[in-house]
Amino acid sequence: MSRFEGKTAIVTGGATGIGLATAKLLASEGANVVIAGRDERRGTAALAELAAIGGKPLFVRTDISDEDAVRHLIGRTMAHRGRIDVLINNAAMFYESDFLQETTDRWRAVFDTIVNGAYWCTREAAVAMKEQGGGVIVNVSSINGIRALNRSSHYNSAKGALDQLTRCTAAELSPHGIRVNGVAPGFIDTGLSVVGGENELETEWFKRYYVGERKIPLARPGQSEEVAAVIAFLASEAASYVQGAIVPVDGGLSITF
Ligand SMILES: NC(=O)c1ccc[n+]([C@@H]2O[C@H](COP(=O)([O-])OP(=O)(O)OC[C@H]3O[C@@H](n4cnc5c(N)ncnc54)[C@H](O)[C@@H]3O)[C@@H](O)[C@H]2O)c1
């Protein structure tokens, strides 16, 4: 099956975790993937993995929290590939932070990455997509976007805003043939699960509450590939009538209380 044959797909934060799994899946189905990430070494390693799979991959060193860097990313992509068919807004950061100890600079850094980064990427890519007659955008949100969590006001608030960006752009970009959807992962086994040096998926409380008591009905964390599969579906023609949806990929976590 080659759902993305010859298509150009940008994946932000595509050198690790869910982004890398998505980049590899899209490449395996014919896409020329452009990875946007901050770290040259990780980007080069990811590029080698993609090259072994297929397509014509490209790494563009990009800090998506910098508007000029996003313009550079889109410019390089257009110069190399001439079009943008798929944009996966995946990059994000997470750290635990007591609300009363939070600083404006740190709060802004989270919003600049999760909300403004996705806004700049969407805006710049949508200009190219409109010109070429359409395109697809998938935003990687989180179930944190619809739930409260202690020590995570910055991240949860930003993901909630990203969900609204998904819905609003889905509505407004529809006349240009652009579909916009999102996924909302739950606990996924990636580097982001390591908080304060500890992998939260390996802690006793996680095993007891989320797995043992089936707070996650499927009683396990998810894998990056399981999120990538849903992202690729939303980015594919099979989802041609899906617009503005935010699909949970959380083993059922968000349906329990
Ligand atoms: N792992 C989980 O449990 C989980 C749960 C819900 C949502 N998510 C979301 O999934 C997405 C991918 O996260 P992941 O779990 O694969 O973790 P990850 O840390 O492997 O991936 C995040 C990537 O984004 C990159 N990034 C961060 N800031 C950036 C910036 N300013 N510019 C460019 N790149 C930047 C990081 O370097 C990293 O490569 C994120 O949006 C995250 O919020 C993850």
PDB file of all heavy atoms in Angstrom, residues 14-42:
ATOM      1  N   GLY A  14      10.422  15.513  14.241  1.00  0.00           N
ATOM      2  CA  GLY A  14      10.347  14.189  13.602  1.00  0.00           C
ATOM      3  C   GLY A  14      11.560  13.308  13.796  1.00  0.00           C
ATOM      4  O   GLY A  14      11.643  12.236  13.192  1.00  0.00           O
ATOM      5  N   ALA A  15      12.506  13.730  14.625  1.00  0.00           N
ATOM      6  CA  ALA A  15      13.729  12.931  14.797  1.00  0.00           C
ATOM      7  C   ALA A  15      13.612  11.925  15.935  1.00  0.00           C
ATOM      8  O   ALA A  15      14.488  11.069  16.096  1.00  0.00           O
ATOM      9  CB  ALA A  15      14.921  13.857  15.038  1.00  0.00           C
ATOM     10  N   THR A  16      12.545  12.018  16.731  1.00  0.00           N
ATOM     11  CA  THR A  16      12.410  11.106  17.886  1.00  0.00           C
ATOM     12  C   THR A  16      10.940  10.695  18.064  1.00  0.00           C
ATOM     13  O   THR A  16      10.037  11.310  17.486  1.00  0.00           O
ATOM     14  CB  THR A  16      12.857  11.787  19.207  1.00  0.00           C
ATOM     15  OG1 THR A  16      11.990  12.913  19.453  1.00  0.00           O
ATOM     16  CG2 THR A  16      14.300  12.267  19.147  1.00  0.00           C
ATOM     17  N   GLY A  17      10.732   9.688  18.868  1.00  0.00           N
ATOM     18  CA  GLY A  17       9.404   9.319  19.374  1.00  0.00           C
ATOM     19  C   GLY A  17       8.312   9.174  18.329  1.00  0.00           C
ATOM     20  O   GLY A  17       8.499   8.539  17.276  1.00  0.00           O
ATOM     21  N   ILE A  18       7.164   9.763  18.626  1.00  0.00           N
ATOM     22  CA  ILE A  18       5.997   9.665  17.754  1.00  0.00           C
ATOM     23  C   ILE A  18       6.283  10.291  16.386  1.00  0.00           C
ATOM     24  O   ILE A  18       5.852   9.779  15.346  1.00  0.00           O
ATOM     25  CB  ILE A  18       4.785  10.359  18.428  1.00  0.00           C
ATOM     26  CG1 ILE A  18       4.362   9.579  19.687  1.00  0.00           C
ATOM     27  CG2 ILE A  18       3.625  10.515  17.462  1.00  0.00           C
ATOM     28  CD1 ILE A  18       3.398  10.330  20.607  1.00  0.00           C
ATOM     29  N   GLY A  19       7.034  11.393  16.393  1.00  0.00           N
ATOM     30  CA  GLY A  19       7.359  12.064  15.130  1.00  0.00           C
ATOM     31  C   GLY A  19       8.192  11.169  14.230  1.00  0.00           C
ATOM     32  O   GLY A  19       7.924  11.051  13.023  1.00  0.00           O
ATOM     33  N   LEU A  20       9.189  10.502  14.797  1.00  0.00           N
ATOM     34  CA  LEU A  20      10.051   9.614  14.000  1.00  0.00           C
ATOM     35  C   LEU A  20       9.246   8.408  13.495  1.00  0.00           C
ATOM     36  O   LEU A  20       9.384   8.009  12.333  1.00  0.00           O
ATOM     37  CB  LEU A  20      11.258   9.149  14.822  1.00  0.00           C
ATOM     38  CG  LEU A  20      12.227   8.197  14.112  1.00  0.00           C
ATOM     39  CD1 LEU A  20      12.790   8.822  12.834  1.00  0.00           C
ATOM     40  CD2 LEU A  20      13.373   7.793  15.045  1.00  0.00           C
ATOM     41  N   ALA A  21       8.410   7.843  14.357  1.00  0.00           N
ATOM     42  CA  ALA A  21       7.579   6.701  13.930  1.00  0.00           C
ATOM     43  C   ALA A  21       6.671   7.111  12.773  1.00  0.00           C
ATOM     44  O   ALA A  21       6.455   6.347  11.828  1.00  0.00           O
ATOM     45  CB  ALA A  21       6.753   6.187  15.113  1.00  0.00           C
ATOM     46  N   THR A  22       6.143   8.332  12.852  1.00  0.00           N
ATOM     47  CA  THR A  22       5.269   8.834  11.781  1.00  0.00           C
ATOM     48  C   THR A  22       6.071   9.055  10.505  1.00  0.00           C
ATOM     49  O   THR A  22       5.638   8.669   9.412  1.00  0.00           O
ATOM     50  CB  THR A  22       4.606  10.155  12.231  1.00  0.00           C
ATOM     51  OG1 THR A  22       3.904   9.923  13.448  1.00  0.00           O
ATOM     52  CG2 THR A  22       3.637  10.670  11.177  1.00  0.00           C
ATOM     53  N   ALA A  23       7.249   9.675  10.655  1.00  0.00           N
ATOM     54  CA  ALA A  23       8.105   9.923   9.488  1.00  0.00           C
ATOM     55  C   ALA A  23       8.440   8.611   8.791  1.00  0.00           C
ATOM     56  O   ALA A  23       8.381   8.513   7.557  1.00  0.00           O
ATOM     57  CB  ALA A  23       9.376  10.642   9.936  1.00  0.00           C
ATOM     58  N   LYS A  24       8.750   7.578   9.571  1.00  0.00           N
ATOM     59  CA  LYS A  24       9.120   6.286   8.992  1.00  0.00           C
ATOM     60  C   LYS A  24       7.927   5.629   8.294  1.00  0.00           C
ATOM     61  O   LYS A  24       8.069   5.066   7.203  1.00  0.00           O
ATOM     62  CB  LYS A  24       9.675   5.365  10.087  1.00  0.00           C
ATOM     63  CG  LYS A  24      11.077   5.785  10.516  1.00  0.00           C
ATOM     64  CD  LYS A  24      11.504   5.207  11.846  1.00  0.00           C
ATOM     65  CE  LYS A  24      11.904   3.776  11.805  1.00  0.00           C
ATOM     66  NZ  LYS A  24      12.508   3.359  13.094  1.00  0.00           N
ATOM     67  N   LEU A  25       6.749   5.741   8.904  1.00  0.00           N
ATOM     68  CA  LEU A  25       5.554   5.147   8.289  1.00  0.00           C
ATOM     69  C   LEU A  25       5.224   5.847   6.968  1.00  0.00           C
ATOM     70  O   LEU A  25       4.938   5.204   5.950  1.00  0.00           O
ATOM     71  CB  LEU A  25       4.369   5.237   9.267  1.00  0.00           C
ATOM     72  CG  LEU A  25       3.049   4.637   8.798  1.00  0.00           C
ATOM     73  CD1 LEU A  25       3.213   3.181   8.375  1.00  0.00           C
ATOM     74  CD2 LEU A  25       1.991   4.743   9.900  1.00  0.00           C
ATOM     75  N   LEU A  26       5.278   7.193   6.984  1.00  0.00           N
ATOM     76  CA  LEU A  26       4.967   7.947   5.759  1.00  0.00           C
ATOM     77  C   LEU A  26       5.991   7.615   4.672  1.00  0.00           C
ATOM     78  O   LEU A  26       5.635   7.413   3.507  1.00  0.00           O
ATOM     79  CB  LEU A  26       4.957   9.453   6.042  1.00  0.00           C
ATOM     80  CG  LEU A  26       3.903   9.963   7.037  1.00  0.00           C
ATOM     81  CD1 LEU A  26       4.033  11.473   7.236  1.00  0.00           C
ATOM     82  CD2 LEU A  26       2.489   9.632   6.570  1.00  0.00           C
ATOM     83  N   ALA A  27       7.270   7.536   5.062  1.00  0.00           N
ATOM     84  CA  ALA A  27       8.322   7.213   4.083  1.00  0.00           C
ATOM     85  C   ALA A  27       8.122   5.811   3.518  1.00  0.00           C
ATOM     86  O   ALA A  27       8.318   5.586   2.318  1.00  0.00           O
ATOM     87  CB  ALA A  27       9.697   7.336   4.737  1.00  0.00           C
ATOM     88  N   SER A  28       7.707   4.889   4.377  1.00  0.00           N
ATOM     89  CA  SER A  28       7.515   3.504   3.913  1.00  0.00           C
ATOM     90  C   SER A  28       6.358   3.409   2.919  1.00  0.00           C
ATOM     91  O   SER A  28       6.239   2.431   2.194  1.00  0.00           O
ATOM     92  CB  SER A  28       7.257   2.563   5.100  1.00  0.00           C
ATOM     93  OG  SER A  28       5.944   2.757   5.598  1.00  0.00           O
ATOM     94  N   GLU A  29       5.518   4.445   2.910  1.00  0.00           N
ATOM     95  CA  GLU A  29       4.391   4.456   1.968  1.00  0.00           C
ATOM     96  C   GLU A  29       4.582   5.510   0.886  1.00  0.00           C
ATOM     97  O   GLU A  29       3.633   6.042   0.330  1.00  0.00           O
ATOM     98  CB  GLU A  29       3.087   4.663   2.725  1.00  0.00           C
ATOM     99  CG  GLU A  29       2.832   3.510   3.694  1.00  0.00           C
ATOM    100  CD  GLU A  29       1.390   3.422   4.124  1.00  0.00           C
ATOM    101  OE1 GLU A  29       0.504   3.775   3.320  1.00  0.00           O
ATOM    102  OE2 GLU A  29       1.160   3.031   5.267  1.00  0.00           O
ATOM    103  N   GLY A  30       5.837   5.843   0.620  1.00  0.00           N
ATOM    104  CA  GLY A  30       6.160   6.636  -0.567  1.00  0.00           C
ATOM    105  C   GLY A  30       6.410   8.117  -0.378  1.00  0.00           C
ATOM    106  O   GLY A  30       6.731   8.816  -1.340  1.00  0.00           O
ATOM    107  N   ALA A  31       6.266   8.636   0.847  1.00  0.00           N
ATOM    108  CA  ALA A  31       6.414  10.088   1.038  1.00  0.00           C
ATOM    109  C   ALA A  31       7.879  10.522   1.031  1.00  0.00           C
ATOM    110  O   ALA A  31       8.763   9.778   1.462  1.00  0.00           O
ATOM    111  CB  ALA A  31       5.770  10.511   2.357  1.00  0.00           C
ATOM    112  N   ASN A  32       8.111  11.733   0.532  1.00  0.00           N
ATOM    113  CA  ASN A  32       9.387  12.407   0.708  1.00  0.00           C
ATOM    114  C   ASN A  32       9.252  13.233   1.991  1.00  0.00           C
ATOM    115  O   ASN A  32       8.564  14.260   2.010  1.00  0.00           O
ATOM    116  CB  ASN A  32       9.681  13.323  -0.478  1.00  0.00           C
ATOM    117  CG  ASN A  32       9.780  12.541  -1.769  1.00  0.00           C
ATOM    118  OD1 ASN A  32      10.410  11.488  -1.821  1.00  0.00           O
ATOM    119  ND2 ASN A  32       9.129  13.037  -2.820  1.00  0.00           N
ATOM    120  N   VAL A  33       9.878  12.754   3.052  1.00  0.00           N
ATOM    121  CA  VAL A  33       9.656  13.363   4.364  1.00  0.00           C
ATOM    122  C   VAL A  33      10.689  14.456   4.651  1.00  0.00           C
ATOM    123  O   VAL A  33      11.879  14.293   4.375  1.00  0.00           O
ATOM    124  CB  VAL A  33       9.721  12.290   5.480  1.00  0.00           C
ATOM    125  CG1 VAL A  33       9.593  12.932   6.856  1.00  0.00           C
ATOM    126  CG2 VAL A  33       8.622  11.251   5.281  1.00  0.00           C
ATOM    127  N   VAL A  34      10.200  15.551   5.198  1.00  0.00           N
ATOM    128  CA  VAL A  34      11.072  16.632   5.668  1.00  0.00           C
ATOM    129  C   VAL A  34      10.967  16.661   7.189  1.00  0.00           C
ATOM    130  O   VAL A  34       9.893  16.909   7.735  1.00  0.00           O
ATOM    131  CB  VAL A  34      10.661  17.999   5.088  1.00  0.00           C
ATOM    132  CG1 VAL A  34      11.594  19.098   5.605  1.00  0.00           C
ATOM    133  CG2 VAL A  34      10.657  17.958   3.568  1.00  0.00           C
ATOM    134  N   ILE A  35      12.070  16.366   7.854  1.00  0.00           N
ATOM    135  CA  ILE A  35      12.078  16.411   9.318  1.00  0.00           C
ATOM    136  C   ILE A  35      12.545  17.793   9.761  1.00  0.00           C
ATOM    137  O   ILE A  35      13.582  18.279   9.323  1.00  0.00           O
ATOM    138  CB  ILE A  35      13.024  15.340   9.895  1.00  0.00           C
ATOM    139  CG1 ILE A  35      12.408  13.959   9.686  1.00  0.00           C
ATOM    140  CG2 ILE A  35      13.284  15.584  11.374  1.00  0.00           C
ATOM    141  CD1 ILE A  35      13.227  12.848  10.284  1.00  0.00           C
ATOM    142  N   ALA A  36      11.748  18.411  10.630  1.00  0.00           N
ATOM    143  CA  ALA A  36      12.136  19.697  11.215  1.00  0.00           C
ATOM    144  C   ALA A  36      12.434  19.472  12.678  1.00  0.00           C
ATOM    145  O   ALA A  36      11.562  19.047  13.438  1.00  0.00           O
ATOM    146  CB  ALA A  36      10.999  20.697  11.064  1.00  0.00           C
ATOM    147  N   GLY A  37      13.665  19.717  13.076  1.00  0.00           N
ATOM    148  CA  GLY A  37      14.036  19.514  14.473  1.00  0.00           C
ATOM    149  C   GLY A  37      15.198  20.411  14.852  1.00  0.00           C
ATOM    150  O   GLY A  37      15.862  20.978  13.993  1.00  0.00           O
ATOM    151  N   ARG A  38      15.438  20.497  16.161  1.00  0.00           N
ATOM    152  CA  ARG A  38      16.471  21.440  16.627  1.00  0.00           C
ATOM    153  C   ARG A  38      17.858  20.827  16.658  1.00  0.00           C
ATOM    154  O   ARG A  38      18.850  21.519  16.596  1.00  0.00           O
ATOM    155  CB  ARG A  38      16.127  21.913  18.051  1.00  0.00           C
ATOM    156  CG  ARG A  38      14.930  22.809  18.127  1.00  0.00           C
ATOM    157  CD  ARG A  38      14.562  23.060  19.571  1.00  0.00           C
ATOM    158  NE  ARG A  38      14.304  21.800  20.290  1.00  0.00           N
ATOM    159  CZ  ARG A  38      13.944  21.705  21.545  1.00  0.00           C
ATOM    160  NH1 ARG A  38      13.805  22.795  22.256  1.00  0.00           N
ATOM    161  NH2 ARG A  38      13.730  20.541  22.104  1.00  0.00           N
ATOM    162  N   ASP A  39      17.917  19.505  16.792  1.00  0.00           N
ATOM    163  CA  ASP A  39      19.195  18.852  17.079  1.00  0.00           C
ATOM    164  C   ASP A  39      19.769  18.219  15.807  1.00  0.00           C
ATOM    165  O   ASP A  39      19.200  17.267  15.260  1.00  0.00           O
ATOM    166  CB  ASP A  39      18.958  17.786  18.165  1.00  0.00           C
ATOM    167  CG  ASP A  39      20.245  17.172  18.668  1.00  0.00           C
ATOM    168  OD1 ASP A  39      21.015  16.654  17.836  1.00  0.00           O
ATOM    169  OD2 ASP A  39      20.468  17.223  19.882  1.00  0.00           O
ATOM    170  N   GLU A  40      20.909  18.765  15.365  1.00  0.00           N
ATOM    171  CA  GLU A  40      21.545  18.315  14.118  1.00  0.00           C
ATOM    172  C   GLU A  40      21.905  16.817  14.182  1.00  0.00           C
ATOM    173  O   GLU A  40      21.677  16.073  13.224  1.00  0.00           O
ATOM    174  CB  GLU A  40      22.824  19.143  13.901  1.00  0.00           C
ATOM    175  CG  GLU A  40      23.421  19.006  12.517  1.00  0.00           C
ATOM    176  CD  GLU A  40      22.796  19.980  11.521  1.00  0.00           C
ATOM    177  OE1 GLU A  40      22.610  21.157  11.869  1.00  0.00           O
ATOM    178  OE2 GLU A  40      22.489  19.532  10.404  1.00  0.00           O
ATOM    179  N   ARG A  41      22.440  16.405  15.330  1.00  0.00           N
ATOM    180  CA  ARG A  41      22.898  15.013  15.449  1.00  0.00           C
ATOM    181  C   ARG A  41      21.719  14.031  15.366  1.00  0.00           C
ATOM    182  O   ARG A  41      21.754  13.066  14.607  1.00  0.00           O
ATOM    183  CB  ARG A  41      23.628  14.841  16.795  1.00  0.00           C
ATOM    184  CG  ARG A  41      24.361  13.531  16.967  1.00  0.00           C
ATOM    185  CD  ARG A  41      24.976  13.446  18.368  1.00  0.00           C
ATOM    186  NE  ARG A  41      24.025  13.737  19.421  1.00  0.00           N
ATOM    187  CZ  ARG A  41      23.110  12.878  19.877  1.00  0.00           C
ATOM    188  NH1 ARG A  41      23.054  11.662  19.392  1.00  0.00           N
ATOM    189  NH2 ARG A  41      22.270  13.222  20.834  1.00  0.00           N
ATOM    190  N   ARG A  42      20.660  14.333  16.099  1.00  0.00           N
ATOM    191  CA  ARG A  42      19.482  13.449  16.053  1.00  0.00           C
ATOM    192  C   ARG A  42      18.823  13.497  14.677  1.00  0.00           C
ATOM    193  O   ARG A  42      18.326  12.494  14.161  1.00  0.00           O
ATOM    194  CB  ARG A  42      18.468  13.860  17.131  1.00  0.00           C
ATOM    195  CG  ARG A  42      18.872  13.417  18.531  1.00  0.00           C
ATOM    196  CD  ARG A  42      17.667  13.335  19.441  1.00  0.00           C
ATOM    197  NE  ARG A  42      16.914  14.567  19.450  1.00  0.00           N
ATOM    198  CZ  ARG A  42      16.701  15.331  20.523  1.00  0.00           C
ATOM    199  NH1 ARG A  42      17.198  14.972  21.680  1.00  0.00           N
ATOM    200  NH2 ARG A  42      16.002  16.437  20.445  1.00  0.00           N
TER     201      ARG A  42
END
